[in-house]
DNA sequence: TTTTCCATGTAAGTCGTTACATGATTGC
DNA sequence: GCAATCATGTAACGACTTACATGGAAAA
């Protein structure tokens, strides 16, 4: 139940149309809350029906026509309520760790190449975050909003740093391992 | 599409009944792939129908009776195939980071308490992982299987370490912040 | 004018969550 | 016997994914 609040946040930062939101969910907010355009359009409909947002009156709502939304007072209140509410952390789900555990039973054949690929992807993401940091958060002048957003970006940077380090370590471990099944060969 | 493979891995490590699997998904494998008993029973049914696992013939399959499963040859093959297949990393979803970004717009009131609570939870999880490491992976004698499983545990430890550090940092930042809305007061 | 892209949607199916149901076993 | 607990399920719903559909604008 976080997608509507992600959208409210994005719309408060800047009123947008569905497609503009979709683009921003490919970067920025999408770095820690992804969504497809189908999800976004459906949720925009619900939020409008619930009176939390409204279409900007300047544009006519025809199919194929741009339609921009802004957050209403009730929407801002709901976002503030949700932000302050206590929430339990969701349990992790990580396919790569699962595959490593499976490899301990059925063998590591074929896994190393994908680990290398993931390492590259994480290195690329890390570089992207670091560019954003240099561009948007130069040292010295941080306002209140900036300090919070910088904190979020730091989480992204530190997470990608963790993954690159962990994957590098995993790959060096792999160099000393046999490829096949470690136990009970079929 | 990872739950069946998580179950196959667990069953290869040790043939089990539905409830035993459920217990193990509360620890161990569940640390990076959670699942409820409903999911597990449904998936066991599918896996059996697909011929990847079978109920141990020693036990009679009555409702309310224990029923243990073991992995068949086809199941092991499918798990090996899946483990070696190239897979793209899933996009992140993190509610806490989203809430921080929302707080940059609607204010940080009420958030700090929950950050403290999350910090405690992550500290507790970290301590649990470190106990497991000391108990199951004493320095020196690592086999091939152990090296892989240790690697997975290290990922858990490093991730929890990251979260505790990041949350601590976030809380010190909060000390210097006003509680209300940073911009556009309602 | 046909194609391509932009922009907004619909529909179907899978996965996960929450709530409930049922039979067997054990302790009182 | 009765209640509590163990063990295995069913049902309904919501969230997310994948594939497809529609209309308008711009370009070839």
């Amino acid at each position: 139940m976080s997608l509507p609040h992600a959208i409210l946040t994005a719309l408060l930062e800047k009123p947008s149309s569905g497609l503009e939101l979709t683009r921003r969910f490919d970067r920025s907010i999408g770095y820690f809350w992804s969504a497809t355009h189908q999800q976004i359009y459906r949720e925009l409909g619900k939020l409008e029906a619930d009176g939390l947002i409204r279409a900007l009156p300047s544009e006519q709502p025809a199919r194929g026509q741009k339609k921009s939304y802004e957050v209403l007072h009730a929407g801002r209140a709901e976002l503030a309520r949700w932000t302050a509410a206590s929430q339990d952390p969701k349990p992790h789900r990580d396919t790569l760790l699962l595959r490593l555990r499976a490899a301990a039973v059925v063998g590591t054949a074929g896994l190393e190449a994908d680990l290398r690929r993931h390492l590259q992807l994480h290195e690329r993401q890390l570089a992207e975050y670091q560019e954003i940091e240099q561009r948007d958060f130069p040292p010295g002048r941080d306002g209140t909003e900036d300090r919070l957003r910088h904190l979020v970006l730091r989480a992204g940077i530190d997470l990608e740093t963790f993954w690159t380090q962990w994957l590098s370590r995993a790959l060096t471990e792999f160099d000393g391992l046999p490829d096949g099944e470690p136990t009970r060969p079929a």
Side-chain angles (χ1 to χ4, degrees), chain A:
Chain A
M1 277 292 293
S2 302
L3 178 56
H5 303 97
I7 292 178
L8 286 173
T9 303
L11 287 181
L12 278 172
E13 289 174 354
K14 179 175 175 4
S16 310
S17 69
L19 193 66
E20 283 164 353
L21 279 177
T22 302
R23 301 256 183 272
R24 291 169 62 194
F25 273 80
D26 284 338
R27 346 180 287 289
S28 180
I29 287 191
Y31 290 142
F32 47 91
W33 202 273
S34 66
T36 64
H37 72 106
Q38 293 90 338
Q39 284 176 275
I40 288 169
Y41 283 119
R42 182 167 12 127
E43 205 61 43
L44 282 173
K46 281 191 206 168
L47 287 169
E48 191 177 22
D50 292 348
L52 301 186
I53 64 175
R54 68 165 182 184
L56 286 181
S58 57
E59 339 237 350
Q60 69 282 24
R63 193 182 181 110
Q65 291 296 100
K66 250 192 200 175
K67 197 164 68 170
S68 284
Y69 293 91
E70 67 176 357
V71 178
L72 296 175
H73 193 80
R76 174 181 280 262
E78 165 57 23
L79 184 60
R81 186 205 60 75
W82 176 82
T83 303
S86 175
Q87 295 179 37
D88 285 330
K90 288 270 159 190
H92 291 175
R93 289 257 167 98
D94 192 287
T95 312
L96 208 52
L97 295 179
L98 189 56
R99 285 165 75 195
L100 229 69
R101 178 110 174 204
V105 183
V106 299
T108 59
L111 224 177
E112 188 173 350
D114 211 33
L115 290 186
R116 276 189 213 291
R117 199 172 63 88
H118 279 243
L119 176 56
Q120 281 190 350
L121 292 173
H122 285 293
E123 281 170 344
R124 219 168 288 162
Q125 190 65 52
L126 176 57
E128 194 176 330
Y129 286 161
Q130 284 169 336
E131 274 179 39
I132 294 174
E133 187 179 35
Q134 289 184 10
R135 190 185 64 221
D136 293 354
F137 304 99
R141 46 176 191 81
D142 273 359
T144 295
E145 284 185 69
D146 278 351
R147 299 238 315 258
L148 287 170
R149 281 200 263 266
H150 193 179
L151 206 49
V152 173
L153 181 61
R154 288 299 316 174
I157 289 174
D158 291 351
L159 273 171
E160 294 301 331
T161 301
F162 152 72
W163 279 113
T164 55
Q165 288 177 353
W166 182 83
L167 281 165
S168 299
R169 176 179 186 154
L171 283 166
T172 61
E173 290 264 359
F174 264 55
D175 287 342
L177 251 52
D179 240 24
E181 306 184 14
T183 53
R184 292 172 299 217

